Amino acid sequence: MSIIIMIGTRMDGSDKPDETRPRAMTRRETIVRKLGDELNALISASRAVTAEAAENFQPPVSGAAFQILQWLHSFGPAQASRIADAVAMDRSVVSRLTKDLRKLGLIEAQPDPADGRSILYGLADTGRAKVAEAIDRKGSLFRTCIEQWRDAELEQLTRLLRRLNGRS
């Protein structure tokens, strides 16, 4: 099956697209589409594993709260606005969830040393231990998927993902 997009030249000779004429995708467009498909599959699988981890987390937390916990585990203390941007949640939702997570003793809030008016949220010792346990359970599935990969392949994938994520 070939992949096509609708683009072409207008009947009046102008350069504006004629959406009635299909044009075969370029090699690069095909590669980008395939990459997008694989990233979507990866994101979907990650969401499913994360949802399962959140369901099994004790005390029980929502998937969104678990996502915040995981992010704090990976990147350390941050202001609520930074967390919201990083996990693509509304700031009011992050504010409510951080309040709930504090009540559960999973995260702590401290004044930001760089700006005394702001609060930094970070994992409490209990939260850090529980998230580490959940990540270990999630990681066993991941490790099974990559156990046959060479170290060089893992390093290359890591470098490429960091670059894709703008963190190179």
Side-chain angles (χ1 to χ4, degrees):
M1 181 170 111
S2 65
I3 301 171
I4 57 172
I5 58 173
M6 306 301 275
I7 193 164
T9 305
R10 291 173 50 109
M11 296 296 282
D12 62 8
S14 73
D15 289 334
K16 294 182 181 174
D18 178 358
E19 296 187 9
T20 62
R21 290 186 39 207
R23 176 182 62 82
M25 292 178 70
T26 66
R27 181 174 186 279
R28 181 160 182 100
E29 289 169 336
T30 301
I31 293 168
V32 169
R33 172 77 54 92
K34 287 178 182 179
L35 173 61
D37 291 345
E38 294 306 319
L39 289 173
N40 284 332
L42 181 63
I43 290 167
S44 294
S46 177
R47 285 184 179 151
V49 171
T50 297
E52 182 180 331
E55 288 173 14
N56 295 322
F57 197 82
Q58 292 300 322
V61 296
S62 69
F66 187 75
Q67 188 177 2
I68 290 171
L69 291 170
Q70 280 188 123
W71 190 89
L72 289 171
H73 184 270
S74 295
F75 300 102
Q79 295 178 3
S81 59
R82 181 165 178 238
I83 297 167
D85 291 343
V87 298
M89 286 184 207
D90 187 84
R91 290 180 184 191
S92 64
V93 172
V94 169
S95 177
R96 180 181 50 81
L97 290 172
T98 54
K99 182 179 175 184
D100 295 345
L101 292 169
R102 284 182 68 198
K103 284 181 184 176
L104 293 171
L106 299 172
I107 66 171
E108 301 171 326
Q110 298 178 353
D112 185 343
D115 177 1
R117 301 168 295 164
S118 297
I119 301 292
L120 288 180
Y121 295 97
L123 291 176
D125 290 340
T126 301
R128 187 173 297 103
K130 290 181 178 287
V131 172
E133 289 172 19
I135 288 173
D136 283 346
R137 284 191 300 274
K138 283 177 53 177
S140 66
L141 175 63
F142 178 69
R143 284 186 294 277
T144 300
C145 292
I146 62 167
E147 68 186 355
Q148 300 299 318
W149 290 38
R150 295 185 323 266
D151 288 352
E153 291 172 316
L154 294 172
E155 289 170 344
Q156 179 183 18
L157 179 60
T158 301
R159 278 191 307 274
L160 292 171
L161 289 173
R162 285 184 67 82
R163 184 174 169 193
L164 181 65
N165 288 325
R167 299 177 341 118
S168 55

